[in-house]
Amino acid sequence: MNFDGKTYWITGASSGLGEAVAYELAKHRTCLILSGRNTYTLSRVADRCQTLGAATRIEAFDLTDFAKMEESVKSVLADGVKIDGLFNFGGISQRSFAIETPIDIDRKVMEIDYFGTIGITKRLLPHIVENGGGLIVATSSVVGKFGIPYRSAYSAAKHALHGFFESLRAETAKNNLQINILVPGRIATNVSKNAITKTGEKYGITDPGQATGMTAEQSAKIILRGVARGKKEILYGGKAVAMVHIRRWLPRLYYYLASRVKAL
């Protein structure tokens, strides 16, 4: 796949992997539609993308605000913009034991990570298919492949994304639609700091393994290389990805290790 001169919509573009991928795509003289909650931060990202060669447009909304999301999509399409692909990076993580986590927290994580992701996807999907196909990238996690302590809601949402996008891939096999599922391990972003706890407050701590994880910049290069090659799943992020293979090939070892993973 060639990214040059195409138009891509990126959610979660104000930080982390979304921001890093935006900069990499900008080098291909793309047109980027940048979404997130913070207009000021998106403006900073947009400015840098422009210096790298991209044209940009900001569409700010919360992934749980479906009315605003719908308004943004209608506005962009009404202007005659042809969307070649969607990169889904928006989301939130969680840090609390299932037994002490109110159901409202599970719902919040699912609303953002699952329903928010498929919400923007469903709104752009008909347009992309009608224009001859394109690209949809979904961001899961290694815990979308297995479960570990302190991530029950987050892991559940990521498992759900795998089911949805694998089904969508099968349904659209004849529509020239490429679907890539990203499976990151430990990436040095603020995802754990911004994770929510059982009270709904920010966790505020960088997980030890994450602090020394792969950088977002390194990850962005791997992501685009994998997307360009058409890889259906793109695993990256250090030693954490080994658990995906252990879960598949050595399940008894996985069960032993998973129950001994430190929560903090």
Side-chain angles (χ1 to χ4, degrees), residues 45-238:
V45 175
D47 288 345
R48 184 175 174 191
C49 286
Q50 290 169 19
T51 65
L52 292 170
T56 62
R57 174 170 177 159
I58 293 173
E59 291 292 335
F61 55 80
D62 190 298
L63 283 174
T64 62
D65 188 344
F66 295 120
K68 178 60 177 175
M69 182 189 296
E70 180 73 22
E71 180 184 314
S72 289
V73 171
K74 286 183 176 180
S75 174
V76 171
L77 299 186
D79 288 341
V81 179
K82 176 182 176 293
I83 309 298
D84 295 296
L86 167 66
F87 284 79
N88 289 292
F89 288 108
I92 192 171
S93 192
Q94 163 252 349
R95 298 292 185 275
S96 57
F97 291 114
I99 196 171
E100 63 186 16
T101 303
I103 193 67
D104 289 348
I105 297 299
D106 297 84
R107 289 185 184 279
K108 181 174 182 177
V109 174
M110 190 65 75
E111 282 290 338
I112 296 171
D113 288 6
Y114 177 70
F115 287 108
T117 296
I118 70 168
I120 185 66
T121 298
K122 282 174 173 275
R123 284 164 173 79
L124 290 176
L125 181 62
H127 167 81
I128 294 174
V129 170
E130 288 168 8
N131 279 286
L135 170 70
I136 295 178
V137 177
T139 302
S140 179
S141 165
V142 290
V143 297
K145 290 288 195 175
F146 57 80
I148 60 172
Y150 235 47
R151 312 285 195 281
S152 55
Y154 182 62
S155 180
K158 296 302 187 180
H159 273 74
L161 286 176
H162 274 272
F164 177 85
F165 283 101
E166 287 183 356
S167 295
L168 182 62
R169 183 189 290 128
E171 291 174 358
T172 57
K174 297 180 181 179
N175 297 110
N176 193 32
L177 186 68
Q178 178 177 314
I179 295 177
N180 308 95
I181 301 177
L182 308 182
V183 188
R186 289 173 171 171
I187 312 299
T189 67
N190 288 326
V191 65
S192 63
K193 274 190 173 182
N194 293 328
I196 57 173
T197 64
K198 62 185 178 182
T199 64
E201 298 175 342
K202 286 187 178 181
Y203 185 52
I205 301 171
T206 298
D207 293 333
Q210 190 173 38
T212 58
M214 179 180 289
T215 68
E217 292 74 21
Q218 290 173 312
S219 300
K221 295 179 186 299
I222 293 172
I223 289 168
L224 292 191
R225 186 162 62 243
V227 170
R229 293 175 179 173
K231 294 183 67 175
K232 291 179 171 57
E233 287 192 354
I234 303 170
L235 280 73
Y236 58 97

